Amino acid sequence: AVPACLRHPAVEDALQLLASGPEAQDADLACELLAYIYSNVEICQEISRRPNLRRVETLLRLASAEVPAACRGLLALARHSQDWAEALGAAMSPEVAENLALLAETEPPLEESSPASTHPAADRQEPRKQRLAAEILLRGFDGLAVTRFIRPELSDARKRLLNALFVSQDLSARISV
């Protein structure tokens, strides 16, 4: 059970500020706590009712900057938030689209000769980045998110994102486009 003190809105805000700070160690710890909070379905649904544009932007920026805990937090938020499509749509901006493209482009290639268990992304705790980008889009691709995603100012990031998913070695990511 998640402690009651982590349900307070100020905790999420403080963790987002800490995650956005200059210290990588602080960002990782803050993202671990956010992932822990968002992984609880009841709390995530409670939190997602509160408008917070930074929620998606912060986690996506950190996920594209190689913070594994941010990937887990973003995935938990996308899976457990009832308002994920609205949150993604409200946050969709050139910066968010760029971070989605970076997330999909930074996937290390799978090596044919190595068993899956030795690949760093084989750990269930760390989702593959292209699969994460695809799931984020599929879970939130409705209404406002689609309208904003097709805007002309997002065309470069949109093309890069879709191309990265289209040529992915990850079958799930490739099927999503």
Side-chain angles (χ1 to χ4, degrees):
V2 177
C5 63
L6 293 180
R7 293 175 184 252
H8 196 280
V11 172
E12 183 189 23
D13 293 341
L15 289 172
Q16 286 178 358
L17 282 173
L18 188 61
S20 298
E23 296 294 324
Q25 191 174 14
D26 291 346
D28 194 45
L29 178 62
C31 288
E32 283 289 346
L33 285 169
L34 286 170
Y36 177 71
I37 292 169
Y38 297 152
S39 66
N40 181 296
V41 177
E42 180 186 326
I43 293 175
C44 187
Q45 290 174 357
E46 186 179 309
I47 285 173
S48 66
R49 286 189 212 112
R50 295 190 307 262
N52 184 335
L53 292 179
R54 290 183 314 168
R55 184 180 291 135
V56 175
E57 293 170 357
T58 301
L59 287 174
L60 192 53
R61 182 178 45 78
L62 291 168
S64 66
E66 307 287 326
V67 177
C71 294
R72 290 190 296 278
L74 196 56
L75 188 58
L77 185 61
R79 287 180 176 171
H80 299 133
S81 173
Q82 291 179 330
D83 303 322
W84 176 249
E86 291 175 26
L88 183 62
M92 188 59 73
S93 65
E95 180 185 359
V96 167
E98 179 67 26
N99 284 326
L100 271 170
L102 284 172
L103 186 65
E105 291 172 339
T106 59
E107 185 73 68
L110 286 172
E111 295 178 18
E112 296 292 330
S113 60
S114 68
S117 62
T118 62
H119 193 275
D123 180 5
R124 291 205 177 271
Q125 295 296 332
E126 186 175 335
R128 294 199 42 85
K129 291 183 178 166
Q130 289 174 337
R131 189 174 290 189
L132 174 63
E135 187 169 341
I136 287 169
L137 283 176
L138 289 175
R139 286 185 179 274
F141 218 57
D142 189 28
L144 185 59
V146 174
T147 304
R148 290 194 170 176
F149 190 68
I150 62 173
R151 291 191 314 205
E153 62 268 20
L154 303 181
S155 65
D156 183 49
R158 181 177 57 244
K159 287 176 191 173
R160 289 183 24 237
L161 170 63
L162 295 176
N163 284 337
L165 294 175
F166 184 73
V167 299
S168 174
Q169 292 179 0
D170 186 326
L171 185 59
S172 292
R174 203 170 45 234
I175 287 173
S176 71
V177 292

